[in-house]
Amino acid sequence: MIPIVRTVAELRGLVSGWKRAGERVGVVPTMGALHAGHLALARAARAGAERVIVTIFVNPKQFNRPEDLVKYPRTEESDAALLAPIEVDAIFAPLPGEVYPAGFATTVSVAGVSAGLCGAGRPGHFDGVATVVTKLFGMTRADVAWFGEKDWQQLAVVRRLVADMNLGVEIVGHPTVREADGLAMSSRNARLTAAERAAAPVLAGAMGRAAAAMVAGVPVGKALAAARAEVLAGGYREVEYLELCDASDLLPLAQLMRPARLLAAAWLGEVRLIDNIAVG
Ligand code: PAF
């Protein structure tokens, strides 16, 4: 049984022992509702650090729509069962009051990379992410942490945060895990109806075709317009953004320069899906 730790004091006790023994502490931050993508991160951490903590905390500060926070699946028992075969050393699953006790007054805000894309559509979201990630790193005393590339902008925000604040945590990005039909794995996929689930892979497909077209010399604007049209024709109701950006600072690119990333957010019914791929 993997120990489930609820308090920072208990966690510190465990981690201090590991650190005294010279062991490297790896952390996989999650909000639970674990799927194969999270399990791939946990396995990578298991292989890459002597001690592994998976954190499960539905962070209220990163939800800009209160109804999403309420609806977010909480499946701790099945999450623990999924992690058992990977034999991580601890699950840190604090209550909100442990993370944000009375009087908590700090917000961590990363300018620049947080501003566009998902930052534009979800005001305050990346402040919430940067704040909780800073806390999780402090609470776990992480030496290394794994994040999925599916949330490419989040990964860029965390890298910037760690560099700017000298947090001394090595950040490892893990490639997006996809369903057989190309749909990026996400806890949100479970909210799709059967018809929406069938339509969902058109986003990844259209992005792949747009990336190939750009590499073949099709102008960026034309390739992006074709991809947006394909996604809408395929059943999505809105493309919130579909943009070519510099892979690290995420500034939009009007021409293909490398390393570039194609990033998208689109609504399928009531579910907002995101995806991104390298171009070139
Ligand atoms: O990617 C997530 O699940 C969350 O944004 C994270 C990094 C665990 C912070 O709450």
Side-chain angles (χ1 to χ4, degrees), residues 232-274:
L232 292 173
Y236 280 72
R237 74 170 165 82
E238 186 193 334
V239 177
E240 195 176 295
Y241 65 79
L242 198 156
E243 283 182 41
L244 184 72
C245 294
D246 180 284
S248 16
D249 65 21
L250 299 185
L251 290 174
L253 296 175
Q255 280 171 0
L256 182 55
M257 285 181 281
R258 299 203 193 128
R261 204 90 193 167
L262 184 59
L263 302 104
W267 288 84
L268 191 49
E270 290 313 301
V271 184
R272 182 181 182 276
L273 297 179
I274 60 170

Side-chain angles (χ1 to χ4, degrees), residues 28-32 38 55 57-59 62 72 125 128-130 132-133 136 147-148 151 154 158:
V28 180
T30 83
M31 297 206 298
H38 296 111
T55 70
F57 178 62
V58 181
N59 173 32
Q62 71 187 75
Y72 204 85
H125 168 69
V129 170
V132 83
V133 166
L136 291 170
F147 290 84
D151 296 293
Q154 169 171 281
V158 170

Side-chain angles (χ1 to χ4, degrees), residues 177-200:
V177 179
R178 295 181 182 277
E179 303 284 359
D181 59 11
L183 177 66
M185 292 222 183
S186 163
S187 317
R188 293 173 181 229
N189 296 351
R191 288 169 42 201
L192 299 170
T193 64
E196 287 164 355
R197 174 63 191 82

